[in-house]
Amino acid sequence: MAGASSGVAVADNCVEIFMDLKKKRKYRYIVYKIDGEKQVVLETTGEPDATYAEFCTHLPENDCRYGIYDHDFVDKEGCQKSKIVFFAWSPDTAKVKPKMLYASSKDSFRKELEGIHFEIQCTDASEIDIQAIHDKC
């Protein structure tokens, strides 16, 4: 297990699952959670044909999560492209302790996931609208 600055470790399979998304396109999305304030663990994955709306349903209304989404889009020149997006989901309705734990663990966890194109920090549903990704692409 790799360590995080907050003392939260990262389960070994977290990076492995991310590499399967990145290199093999085995998943469309990944959702991670901090289990028992001790370790970042895999919560769920989405099949390659899963939608962005399905990914969003796994971001709980009152708790924090980390998410990865492999976003396919067509650029201004008409070329098919893909960007891997990291989400730091910390809703306003979550308790303060989890928000602080996720915030203090995020940077070291994200560094373990090489190949992320950009990050979106979100606190409510309006910030995870698909347009937020399109704006960054």
Side-chain angles (χ1 to χ4, degrees):
M1 280 187 278
S5 61
S6 63
V8 174
V10 177
D12 293 333
N13 72 333
C14 288
V15 175
E16 183 180 312
I17 296 290
F18 172 76
M19 295 308 287
D20 284 345
L21 177 145
K22 178 183 166 187
K23 293 186 175 181
K24 299 177 185 175
R25 300 200 67 150
K26 192 172 176 182
Y27 309 105
R28 173 64 57 190
Y29 63 82
I30 307 167
V31 177
Y32 300 100
K33 70 177 183 175
I34 296 178
D35 189 34
E37 299 180 20
K38 294 181 179 159
Q39 177 173 247
V40 177
V41 297
L42 174 70
E43 183 170 61
T44 191
T45 58
E47 295 296 319
D49 61 348
T51 66
Y52 185 70
E54 289 173 61
F55 166 70
C56 292
T57 66
H58 293 286
L59 302 176
E61 186 177 332
N62 297 313
D63 203 359
C64 304
R65 293 293 185 271
Y66 299 125
I68 305 290
Y69 186 77
D70 187 3
H71 180 61
D72 292 330
F73 65 101
V74 177
D75 70 8
K76 292 174 183 157
E77 289 80 38
C79 297
Q80 184 70 34
K81 300 233 176 165
S82 177
K83 300 263 184 186
I84 298 174
V85 185
F86 180 92
F87 288 85
W89 173 248
S90 185
D92 290 331
T93 54
K95 294 182 178 178
V96 172
K97 188 173 183 178
K99 289 200 274 193
M100 292 180 69
L101 186 61
Y102 275 79
S104 63
S105 305
K106 178 184 62 86
D107 288 340
S108 59
F109 175 55
R110 184 180 166 190
K111 285 178 188 170
E112 300 218 15
L113 308 177
E114 293 182 29
I116 291 173
H117 294 101
F118 57 87
E119 176 180 322
I120 296 178
Q121 295 190 31
C122 24
T123 59
D124 65 41
S126 69
E127 295 175 331
I128 58 168
D129 185 80
I130 191 72
Q131 192 60 45
I133 296 177
H134 291 305
D135 291 346
K136 294 220 176 202
C137 291

